[in-house]
DNA sequence: CCGGATCCTTTATGATACTG
DNA sequence: CAGTATCATAAAGGATCCGG
């Protein structure tokens, strides 16, 4: 009866703080940034290049939000001219597993879901 | 070597279709609806009551989207006056695990993240 | 009871220009 | 290089009214 069972079959609970957290961390650009920073620390323009469709405004907003949540750190290198490096934190690394599970789910079921969409759209 | 390993330590890949799928299925109201329908089939107004903060417009949009993606089914009961019941599908049930993993992560790390936020906000 | 159509407000996002 | 500030626009969301 291990009440310490991870993921016991209890009903999920989504409190506003939980929801806010997911919003801050699972949005489009955050996942892309995480993906990149899981591979290696990167500089601002390096991230822009790695994520070609992000605007600089959205990227900087995303970075500041992830930094505030302790998911990444901003590291200012006192070189010349200034260089700034973003790195994933230990806390940030814990996000990888849930995100992987999610992407794994998406990959597995995307075909079935696309089929469902076609069927829905045809039926009108 | 098992190349069939689930979640091998390969880099995540987020294609536009994957991203769209997550957007359609992980948004605020979808998770609430899923949560409710995992417990029991429900009618429209039952869902409104269970999720007091959702507007009817957002709820109906959410339901139609989830239905289109094959996550839930809309079941019209030929009673009088019309009753409509929404149920989770087999495909929809597969979503539960990833969502649980996500919520488990959020629950575990929320304190650390709130601490990070306070520290960030104080530092200015 | 279920939900579409409309109007209106709020929020998110992009393009552009400028600074330490 | 690494951003911020500003402006313009689009998309999301709520409130309300109405019809099947």
């Amino acid at each position: 009866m291990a009440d310490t069972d991870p993921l016991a079959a209890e009903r999920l609970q989504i409190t506003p703080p939980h929801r806010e957290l997911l919003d801050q961390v699972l949005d489009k650009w955050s996942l892309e940034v995480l993906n990149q920073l899981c591979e290696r620390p990167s500089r601002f323009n390096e991230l822009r290049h790695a994520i070609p469709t992000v605007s600089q405004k959205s990227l900087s907003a995303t970075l500041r939000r992830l930094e505030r949540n302790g998911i990444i750190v901003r590291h200012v290198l006192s070189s010349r001219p200034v260089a700034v490096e973003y790195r994933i934190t230990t806390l940030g690394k814990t996000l990888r597993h849930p995100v992987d599970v999610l992407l794994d789910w998406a990959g597995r079921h995307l075909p079935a879901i696309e089929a469902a969409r076609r069927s829905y759209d045809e039926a009108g």
Side-chain angles (χ1 to χ4, degrees), chain A residues 3-91:
Chain A
D3 60 355
T4 56
D5 233 22
L7 274 46
E10 306 266 317
R11 43 211 94 205
L12 342 150
Q13 251 209 126
I14 316 175
T15 69
H18 283 72
R19 184 65 243 182
E20 186 199 10
L21 175 52
L22 296 186
D23 285 339
Q24 302 225 337
V25 142
L26 285 187
D27 64 278
K28 181 172 181 175
W29 303 130
S30 290
L31 288 196
E32 302 269 10
V33 166
L34 259 336
N35 190 18
Q36 172 70 13
L37 295 189
C38 273
E39 284 182 41
R40 60 176 163 285
S42 309
R43 304 228 307 262
F44 188 84
N45 282 335
E46 210 170 340
L47 287 166
R48 284 195 74 178
H49 178 258
I51 312 167
T53 51
V54 72
S55 72
Q56 113 283 56
K57 178 181 176 176
S58 296
L59 179 57
S60 75
T62 298
L63 291 171
R64 270 182 283 113
R65 190 172 51 241
L66 290 178
E67 189 195 0
R68 187 173 103 96
N69 284 272
I71 304 296
I72 66 176
V73 265
R74 182 175 186 271
H75 216 249
V76 180
L77 308 176
S78 338
S79 57
R80 171 221 56 76
V82 273
V84 178
E85 197 176 75
Y86 292 93
R87 298 183 190 173
I88 193 150
T89 62
T90 304
L91 180 54

